[in-house]
Amino acid sequence: MGKIDDPRVSERVQAFPESVIREMTRIAALHPGTVNLAQGFPDFDPPPELIEAVKRAVHQGGSQYSITWGDPTLRAAISRKAKEFNGIESDPEKNLVVTCGATEAMMASMLSLINPGDEAIIFEPFYENYGPDARVSGARPRHVRLEWPDWRFDPETVKGAFNPKTKVLILNTPNNPTGKVFTRDELKLLADLCTDHDVVAITDEIYEHMVYDGGRHVSLATVGSMAERTVTINGLSKTYAATGWRVGWAIAPPTLAAAIRRAHDFLTVCAPTAFQLAGVVALALPPAYYDELQRTYQAKRDRLVKALQAAGIDCRPPGGTYYVMTDFSAFPFKDDWEFAMHLIDRCGIATVPGSSFYSDPRSGRRKVRFVFCKRESTLDETARRLEKLRSPAT
Ligand code: GLN
């Protein structure tokens, strides 16, 4: 996980490690039978009509490049859904860029906005990609802490983080790994700060449909005059259980969209065409699909949280996403890696060590993250396996 032992490797790449989230999936694969609650992808398929749509698309020209910034029918579908669900106005010809997942949308946005030395405000714990995104683009991260256990932030700290060097605010709501859903009041505070300091917000809203207990997702672009300074990122991966399709997008003011299109063009040319075409079918699913998604995910959340609490692992039901950040201080392990490896060896459950979500690893050394985007049977099996944590090893 340290430096790559070859002087030919660039300093840029030496400056960040492998993804711990993806590494835990590989470690899980080395332990057959392990339940992978590490990387956030479902163990079930997208709805059958979407699989059929992919098959059709492959037979209807979906094997060639699409227009760089996205197939026009997909851009129209994204624009329509963003208006209906988020209240975001967009012109598919001017405001939209379709990318290879939200991952590329974030990297392309950072490359399009950052000059070396610019600062990026990032709430922490954060989704680990934002670290390398900052490194590669040349941004200096400035972290603002979301505090365990309810993940509030101190308004004075966030105000203090804004300064003349601040170029972007990276926001992820609903938030990975905490499950926090930023409230309208919190977003209003951030919007005012971005406006006063001429800062662009890049918001990753990929978990927008996974909001529980009657909560509501609010897009920062719809707060005040933020539309003119917000890049809203989303994708098919989580909402349609299609993480391998690699279809994401950014909605941005025309000049920023033009810049992101340039970066995207030379990174990947286009997102996979057949999956873009299937995305048109996905985005046309009726409202009942999203209601059902919300209901089933809330039930999955409750199943996992109950099992974790029964096992003595401290956690609160997250307000959104499909992650649960936990604190295992009740157990006598040295750090998060030791506990995560014990969970694999003793219980056959893979998780993500909490340190990978913090700029200072010590802040996450009593934490591990679990996902619950899994079948009920997988979560029931997890609950059974967690019982072993308390029983003496045999
Ligand atoms: N967002 C997912 C997670 O946090 C992983 C996404 C990815 O691996 N590209 O687990």
Side-chain angles (χ1 to χ4, degrees), residues 379-393:
L379 296 172
D380 287 344
E381 176 62 23
T382 302
R384 271 191 295 279
R385 292 181 181 202
L386 280 170
E387 286 168 14
K388 288 197 202 153
L389 255 190
R390 295 259 192 167
S391 57

Side-chain angles (χ1 to χ4, degrees), residues 68-70 75 91-98 108 112 254-267 269:
T68 291
W69 29 91
R75 275 184 284 129
D91 177 345
E93 292 305 320
K94 297 200 179 97
N95 301 104
L96 275 170
V97 196
V98 175
S112 303
T255 46
L256 298 187
I260 297 166
R261 285 174 174 192
R262 274 190 205 178
H264 158 69
D265 191 5
F266 292 102
L267 284 169
V269 179

Side-chain angles (χ1 to χ4, degrees), residues 21-22 38-41 103 127 129 176 207 238 246 323 357 369 371:
I21 295 174
R22 268 84 79 187
Q39 193 178 9
F41 63 91
T103 297
Y127 174 44
N129 278 35
N176 176 9
Y207 304 100
K238 315 292 182 181
R246 310 315 299 135
Y323 305 104
F357 301 101
R369 189 196 76 173
V371 307

Side-chain angles (χ1 to χ4, degrees), residues 58-351:
V58 169
H59 292 288
Q60 291 170 359
S63 294
Q64 306 308 329
Y65 296 129
S66 54
I67 288 176
T68 291
W69 29 91
D71 180 89
T73 56
L74 178 62
R75 275 184 284 129
I78 294 166
S79 181
R80 197 174 50 243
K81 179 155 182 287
K83 167 96 177 95
E84 281 167 14
F85 181 73
N86 309 79
I88 296 176
E89 300 281 350
S90 63
D91 177 345
E93 292 305 320
K94 297 200 179 97
N95 301 104
L96 275 170
V97 196
V98 175
T99 56
C100 293
T103 297
E104 191 212 345
M106 180 58 77
M107 184 66 95
S109 299
M110 292 291 278
L111 290 173
S112 303
L113 282 157
I114 297 295
N115 288 314
D118 288 345
E119 289 191 8
I121 296 177
I122 304 175
F123 287 99
E124 90 173 333
F126 49 81
Y127 174 44
E128 61 176 0
N129 278 35
Y130 305 154
D133 289 339
R135 284 288 187 174
V136 170
S137 63
R140 289 224 304 264
R142 193 174 275 268
H143 297 103
V144 174
R145 198 56 86 84
L146 300 171
E147 295 291 351
W148 167 270
D150 53 11
W151 309 112
R152 269 179 241 209
F153 62 85
D154 173 21
E156 293 311 314
T157 307
V158 80
K159 279 182 201 160
F162 279 79
N163 70 79
K165 291 212 173 94
T166 311
K167 186 69 178 289
V168 299
L169 165 78
I170 297 181
L171 182 74
N172 173 213
T173 182
N175 181 265
N176 176 9
T178 65
K180 176 186 175 70
V181 181
F182 282 72
T183 64
R184 188 174 277 283
D185 285 347
E186 288 171 331
L187 295 178
K188 176 78 173 67
L189 172 78
L190 298 176
D192 289 345
L193 287 165
C194 287
T195 307
D196 291 349
H197 293 267
D198 193 18
V199 164
V200 173
I202 310 179
T203 76
D204 174 348
E205 303 184 8
I206 193 96
Y207 304 100
E208 64 180 2
H209 287 287
M210 289 146 194
V211 175
Y212 312 120
D213 308 322
R216 181 143 179 73
H217 169 67
V218 179
S219 289
L220 185 58
T222 64
V223 179
S225 58
M226 284 302 287
E228 66 197 43
R229 57 176 68 256
T230 302
V231 180
T232 305
I233 291 176
N234 218 315
L236 300 178
S237 296
K238 315 292 182 181
T239 305
Y240 306 102
T243 58
W245 288 14
R246 310 315 299 135
V247 178
W249 56 82
I251 304 177
T255 46
L256 298 187
I260 297 166
R261 285 174 174 192
R262 274 190 205 178
H264 158 69
D265 191 5
F266 292 102
L267 284 169
T268 60
V269 179
C270 65
T273 304
F275 295 106
Q276 289 192 52
L277 298 175
V280 178
V281 179
L283 290 160
L285 287 172
Y289 174 76
Y290 304 101
D291 294 344
E292 178 66 11
L293 184 85
Q294 192 277 337
R295 253 197 314 277
T296 52
Y297 269 102
Q298 184 164 318
K300 289 178 198 297
R301 174 198 69 168
D302 293 344
R303 242 186 176 85
L304 179 65
V305 166
K306 194 166 148 230
L308 291 169
Q309 290 176 340
I313 300 175
D314 191 9
C315 62
R316 312 284 184 278
T321 72
Y322 50 49
Y323 305 104
V324 189
M325 193 68 149
T326 66
D327 184 300
F328 61 88
S329 297
F331 294 87
F333 291 95
K334 178 166 79 42
D335 60 22
D336 54 325
W337 274 96
E338 196 179 270
F339 184 59
M341 292 314 294
H342 180 79
L343 278 173
I344 290 180
D345 294 337
R346 174 92 181 104
C347 305
I349 299 171
T351 58

